[in-house]
Amino acid sequence: MADLSKRIVANLENSSWIRKLFDEGNRLKKEFGEDQVFDFSLGNPVVEPPKSFTEALREEVKKGGHGYIPNQGLVEARAKVAEFISSRFSGSFSSKHVVMTVGAGGALNVALRSILNEGEEVIVLAPYFAEYKAYIENNGGKVVSCPLTEKFEIDIEAVQKAITPKTKGLILNTPHNPTGTALTQENVNELGKLLKSCEKENSQSIYVLFDEPYSQLIYDEELADPFKAYHNIILASSFSKDLGIAGERLGYLVLDNNTPDVDLLTAAFVYCNRTLGFVNAPVLMQRAIASMDNLTVDASEYKKRRDLIVDILQEAGFDFMMPKGGFFVFPKSPIEDEVAFCQHAAEKYKILVVPSSGFGVKGYFRLSFSVSLDQIERSREAFIALYKDFA
Ligand code: PLP
């Protein structure tokens, strides 16, 4: 019998419901045909990158050069990221404090590896992207789950209670997976105030890991700027969703030039990027983005999908917060047991959605509208009938 890590085996068992969901989806697709199943379970970007990306790639391929590059990444790619971040957030950014990574997932692992000592705590705001737990535990940290409010805003009092002398970081994600909501500047300012007071009163530096891979997919309002509110921020992001190249694995870590110990932190990121085995982020992708002017997909394509799914869910009667960015919506399950609800949706209507227990809360389900407009429109009657079953 294989003698595996107990932690990994336990995690495999805990995530077996996700496997079951995928198996069930595949079974339904095989039995009834792909177009007969309404699969809203995956957060895979459907909007293709702009033409300039394909053109840039073509040009870069012609040039050759596929060897190792510096672990921090190409200076021209880092400069492009610094420029991109400067156009979105306040602060002072330069190529010197940017590290190119293997996606946002790689960025978060590198950042957590760099800051955590064994047993130190990282606060995640629930519901949260399920992989955070694995990323924190990969790097010896302990997950402390702290609920968002009913409106999926940061609950400042709850965060205050969750902070202990062992707290090293807090992951902030906006626009948010899984709820699709976006934090307000006021709410982020309050968090900054709390963290600053911790630093003043307890001499405790808490890093905000600002995970923002959906920040170019924003529909109704301005994105909050955490750099206006706090100083110990590690920005972790990627071109996975913003540019629609999730499979190409290009992400980045960015520090404001005035972050305390900025050079040491950057050096730690570069070291961890290398020694976690990433070595360097994909070089062809770095060269491609460095030569492009526009690093964003056509977000209006996602907005169309958002508007259509919102219309359908409202017509059906579901209760949910309006998604402001990204490509998820997180309605309340009409019955307490959201797993049973999702099973019913799959079995009776071939609608595949993800139960919220996977994101650390009960009573909701996540639906990704990163699917074809045609699939969304065809699902209308099924959603209406599904809701009626519980009305
Ligand atoms: N953070 C959040 C909130 C995500 O939703 C995802 C991917 O779904 C990631 C990080 C990881 O992104 P990447 O594909 O760039 O590693």
Side-chain angles (χ1 to χ4, degrees):
M1 204 181 125
D3 185 14
L4 305 183
S5 146
K6 290 188 181 59
R7 184 168 61 81
I8 298 296
V9 172
N11 285 346
L12 282 177
E13 277 159 17
N14 289 342
S15 62
S16 63
W17 63 270
I18 302 182
R19 269 207 315 276
K20 266 193 224 142
L21 190 82
F22 289 134
D23 289 349
E24 176 62 2
N26 284 335
R27 188 190 68 72
L28 288 170
K29 283 175 194 167
K30 236 187 215 157
E31 190 177 339
F32 300 99
E34 292 261 341
D35 58 340
Q36 295 305 306
V37 179
F38 305 117
D39 189 352
F40 293 99
S41 64
L42 292 178
N44 205 2
V46 281
V47 178
E48 287 293 325
K51 275 207 183 82
S52 54
F53 173 72
T54 330
E55 281 157 17
L57 265 186
R58 218 173 261 133
E59 284 310 304
E60 294 304 329
V61 167
K62 277 189 217 155
K63 291 182 195 162
H66 302 286
Y68 293 123
I69 56 159
N71 306 123
Q72 187 168 358
L74 295 174
V75 69
E76 54 273 32
R78 292 188 277 121
K80 180 61 78 167
V81 169
E83 184 190 314
F84 189 49
I85 294 300
S86 301
S87 70
R88 280 148 55 185
F89 300 110
S90 62
S92 134
F93 305 100
S94 65
S95 59
K96 198 173 165 212
H97 302 125
V98 173
V99 180
M100 303 306 295
T101 63
V102 177
L108 287 163
N109 272 284
V110 164
L112 289 162
R113 183 65 134 213
S114 302
I115 62 170
L116 287 176
N117 293 299
E118 202 64 33
E120 285 181 333
E121 296 169 0
V122 180
I123 297 175
V124 293
L125 305 173
Y128 56 86
F129 174 50
E131 303 296 60
Y132 289 159
K133 184 174 178 295
Y135 296 170
I136 293 165
E137 289 173 357
N138 282 344
N139 297 293
K142 187 173 161 229
V143 177
V144 175
S145 176
C146 174
L148 289 164
T149 66
E150 275 268 297
K151 290 185 172 171
F152 305 130
E153 287 166 342
I154 308 166
D155 184 336
I156 303 296
E157 257 178 51
V159 173
Q160 190 167 14
K161 282 193 193 132
I163 292 175
T164 76
K166 285 195 166 176
T167 307
K168 195 59 167 291
L170 176 149
I171 303 185
L172 194 68
N173 169 226
T174 182
H176 191 227
N177 177 7
T179 66
T181 53
L183 295 171
T184 62
Q185 186 65 44
E186 203 187 348
N187 196 206
V188 172
N189 287 348
E190 284 178 289
L191 176 72
K193 210 166 133 197
L194 170 68
L195 299 181
K196 277 188 213 160
S197 78
C198 272
E199 191 168 62
K200 213 166 151 203
E201 283 156 31
N202 316 330
S203 311
Q204 184 177 12
S205 291
I206 297 175
Y207 288 103
V208 167
L209 290 111
F210 177 32
D211 178 31
E212 50 92 85
Y214 301 93
S215 66
Q216 294 298 98
L217 313 180
I218 184 103
Y219 311 123
D220 300 314
E221 51 199 81
E222 289 277 292
L223 199 61
D225 179 353
F227 292 93
K228 282 189 183 152
Y230 192 53
H231 48 278
N232 263 331
I233 296 181
I234 299 172
L235 184 150
S237 193
S238 70
F239 294 104
S240 296
K241 332 282 166 154
D242 279 358
L243 190 59
I245 58 166
E248 304 299 347
R249 313 306 300 134
L250 188 61
Y252 46 89
L253 282 162
V254 181
L255 297 168
D256 183 300
N257 293 327
N258 297 312
T259 311
D261 289 325
V262 66
D263 290 328
L264 184 62
L265 257 181
T266 309
F269 294 164
V270 176
Y271 173 83
C272 292
N273 212 24
R274 189 185 99 218
T275 54
L276 280 170
F278 297 125
V279 181
N280 60 248
V283 64
L284 193 54
M285 295 304 132
Q286 293 192 48
R287 297 203 321 245
I289 65 110
S291 69
M292 288 170 66
D293 292 328
N294 171 20
L295 293 173
T296 306
V297 292
D298 179 0
S300 70
E301 281 298 321
Y302 284 116
K303 185 171 184 297
K304 271 190 234 164
R305 288 161 172 79
R306 193 274 313 251
D307 292 345
L308 187 56
I309 195 72
V310 159
D311 183 57
I312 291 172
L313 293 173
Q314 273 169 348
E315 185 180 343
F318 286 98
D319 181 7
F320 61 93
M321 293 289 294
M322 181 73 167
K324 299 283 169 63
F327 42 60
F328 300 108
V329 53
F330 201 62
K332 275 199 175 131
S333 164
I335 50 170
E336 210 180 315
D337 182 351
E338 79 281 350
V339 176
F341 170 77
C342 294
Q343 269 162 358
H344 179 83
E347 279 159 19
K348 189 159 174 198
Y349 298 103
K350 304 185 200 78
I351 293 178
L352 305 181
V353 288
V354 186
S356 61
S357 15
F359 307 102
V361 297
K362 295 214 163 292
Y364 297 82
F365 63 96
R366 188 193 75 173
L367 187 157
S368 160
F369 53 84
S370 182
V371 296
S372 70
L373 278 165
D374 176 58
Q375 178 184 314
I376 302 177
E377 190 52 71
R378 282 188 296 107
S379 69
R380 186 181 289 271
E381 296 312 319
F383 273 110
I384 291 170
L386 170 63
Y387 189 81
K388 273 203 186 123
D389 286 350
F390 300 98

